[in-house]
Amino acid sequence: MPKNEPAPVPAQAPGTDLAAELRASDADRERVADLLRDAYAEGRLTADEHAERIGIAYAARTFGELEPLTRDLPSHPGPIRHNLTKPPLDAPAPLGPPPLPAPRAEASTMVAVFGGAARKGRWRVGSHLKAVAVFGGIEIDLTDAVFESPEVVIEAYSVFGGVEIRVPENVSLHGGGAGVFGGFEVREQTSADPHAPVVRVKGAAVFGGVEARPRRGKALKEWVRRRLDG
């Protein structure tokens, strides 16, 4: 019986771009679709052009079919395949995530009168913070803050208003206050790490509310002990 011969590999036609014939993944198609949505939002594409190109993008099988869809958009310079293909195995490893922005310096007092105030994101929290809400609301989010002290004392006072405090789930939270025709609630917890920062909340709520609790799923990554030890 004749031996099974391997199927011949089709010869490359002159001028064929093999990179354009590479198969695109669902993630590749979605990236192109995101670029087209941005272009439509910026007014670079009409509604009909956007709809047409989105349809082609999701039906595309290769990079060669995706490339023309963003070639005339300044938001995506260069061949699309160079941005969508994976790096070669021998490519140098990335140096790591970009450095975080410097934490913001904030005042140690927050006041909201007939309005609102919020403090969140990457900001520097010292050893003491005072929040006063009168016919207003204050939000204090420590989940991404940079702790500059192993212990933070927050004085919270609410008069016909509210103060909401959120802390990382892996720090200790203690305290309590007075509630006069209002509520003052601190959901206390003690971290398993004895070196974890401690947040203490005290104050009063009059015809208002103060609430302090951990935010599940948000953990402090930069421990105070590491910062103090250098």
Side-chain angles (χ1 to χ4, degrees):
M1 296 180 64
K3 296 182 179 180
N4 292 330
E5 297 291 340
V9 178
Q12 179 184 354
T16 300
D17 187 351
L18 290 179
E21 296 179 357
L22 292 175
R23 289 277 180 164
S25 67
D26 288 340
D28 298 329
R29 286 183 279 269
E30 193 59 44
R31 288 183 216 175
V32 173
D34 287 339
L35 291 170
L36 295 174
R37 293 187 190 102
D38 291 342
Y40 175 59
E42 295 167 357
R44 302 184 190 278
L45 296 175
T46 66
D48 291 340
E49 290 172 331
H50 172 258
E52 180 184 6
R53 295 193 189 193
I54 282 287
I56 296 174
Y58 282 123
R61 293 178 299 173
T62 65
F63 285 141
E65 295 173 80
L66 290 174
E67 248 180 40
L69 301 177
T70 58
R71 186 175 292 157
D72 58 348
L73 300 178
S75 59
H76 199 290
I80 189 79
R81 74 191 82 129
H82 294 164
N83 296 277
L84 297 179
T85 53
K86 296 180 180 180
L89 295 178
D90 58 351
L95 298 178
L100 293 172
R104 307 187 312 273
E106 300 282 3
S108 59
T109 300
M110 297 179 67
V111 178
V113 180
F114 290 98
R119 192 165 294 178
K120 59 181 67 177
R122 188 169 167 80
W123 60 286
R124 294 161 54 186
V125 56
S127 60
H128 183 264
L129 178 63
K130 186 175 183 179
V132 180
V134 181
F135 290 95
I138 291 179
E139 179 185 359
I140 301 173
D141 189 342
L142 299 173
T143 55
D144 292 315
V146 175
F147 285 71
E148 295 188 330
S149 173
E151 182 173 292
V152 179
V153 177
I154 300 178
E155 289 187 64
Y157 300 96
S158 172
V159 181
F160 291 96
V163 178
E164 181 179 311
I165 302 167
R166 298 290 179 265
V167 304
E169 64 177 358
N170 57 341
V171 306
S172 295
L173 175 63
H174 301 292
V180 181
F181 294 100
F184 199 109
E185 180 184 5
V186 178
R187 300 186 188 179
E188 293 189 309
Q189 69 172 18
T190 300
S191 174
D193 189 330
H195 300 285
V198 178
V199 178
R200 301 188 187 278
V201 181
K202 61 181 182 179
V206 181
F207 290 98
V210 173
E211 181 189 41
R213 62 180 175 85
R215 185 175 176 185
R216 301 305 175 192
K218 294 291 289 186
L220 183 68
K221 300 179 179 64
E222 191 171 7
W223 293 103
V224 171
R225 66 171 181 269
R226 295 176 184 170
R227 179 178 301 279
L228 297 180
D229 292 343

